[in-house]
Amino acid sequence: MRLDEARIAPTRDEEWDDEQRRVLASHIERGSVLNIFRTMAVKPKALERFLTWGSYILGRSNSLPARERELAILRTGWNCRSGYEWTQHVPIGIRAGLSDAEIEGIKHGADAGGWAQGDVAILNAVDDLTGDFHISDASWTALSTHFSREQCMDLVYTVGQYTQVSMALNSFGVQLDPGQTLDKDFPR
């Protein structure tokens, strides 16, 4: 976590206007509105568009398999030092098939060793994108060996989305949701 308190306070249920309730409806129906959405609900029109793109990134239309998508999201969150993002996506990554050892390895990237070559290609591409905002020729060649053109595009879209999310979370000071604990290794 970059900030110890929110710069933009998450909205409370009793503060929501009709537009905010409409945009948050699916989250309200599930009985849990996370701090990211409570914070973004300050600007409901932006949140609405954010949720549309986010549903593409996390949905079936994204051609990356869920495990590989979560590998990319977690490495992006780690590189962006977004404690909220990391904390939210570790359990999602585990449900998508990442092991506890792989979650630990994500912290060290491709250098952690033990990765399949396709995983190394993803980790290196994420490091390129979050470090230089461009996938190097060597990384693109490796990525293209393991993934289709559409999957390579979806990887760029996914890392771009979660870089943006991480910037917002870090800058707005979105705090962990109740019951969550930040990974002890997480860089501040």
Side-chain angles (χ1 to χ4, degrees), residues 88-156:
Q88 288 296 340
H89 275 268
V90 164
I92 298 169
I94 290 170
R95 285 193 303 272
L98 291 169
S99 69
D100 290 338
E102 288 172 324
I103 298 291
E104 284 301 308
I106 291 168
K107 299 173 183 179
H108 307 285
D111 295 337
W115 294 110
Q117 289 304 305
D119 293 343
V120 168
I122 288 174
L123 291 166
N124 285 332
V126 171
D127 287 354
D128 285 356
L129 286 167
T130 57
D132 189 35
F133 309 100
H134 168 264
I135 298 178
S136 70
D137 288 342
S139 293
W140 188 267
T141 298
L143 199 62
S144 298
T145 300
H146 301 282
F147 299 97
S148 71
R149 175 180 60 186
E150 291 79 9
Q151 289 173 317
C152 291
M153 291 175 73
D154 279 335
L155 176 69
V156 173

Side-chain angles (χ1 to χ4, degrees), residues 1-110:
M1 303 297 296
R2 298 284 186 99
L3 300 172
D4 293 328
E5 61 184 48
R7 282 183 175 155
I8 298 175
T11 58
R12 297 187 317 270
D13 300 16
E14 62 274 9
E15 298 173 329
W16 293 333
D17 62 24
D18 290 342
E19 184 179 24
Q20 289 167 317
R21 276 190 204 83
R22 180 185 59 75
V23 173
L24 291 169
S26 65
H27 298 277
I28 294 168
E29 288 168 12
R30 280 183 256 156
S32 176
V33 181
L34 299 174
N35 282 340
I36 181 176
F37 304 123
R38 288 179 176 279
T39 302
M40 293 180 80
V42 170
K43 296 269 306 170
K45 285 182 180 23
L47 174 58
E48 186 170 32
R49 273 83 177 169
F50 171 85
L51 291 171
T52 299
W53 182 239
S55 68
Y56 172 81
I57 296 298
L58 292 176
R60 296 182 194 272
S61 295
N62 186 331
S63 61
L64 280 175
R67 181 192 168 280
E68 286 72 12
R69 182 194 67 225
E70 290 303 319
L71 176 67
I73 291 169
L74 283 165
R75 185 64 181 168
T76 301
W78 187 265
N79 288 352
C80 292
R81 296 178 21 214
S82 181
Y84 188 93
E85 193 57 50
W86 178 265
T87 303
Q88 288 296 340
H89 275 268
V90 164
I92 298 169
I94 290 170
R95 285 193 303 272
L98 291 169
S99 69
D100 290 338
E102 288 172 324
I103 298 291
E104 284 301 308
I106 291 168
K107 299 173 183 179
H108 307 285

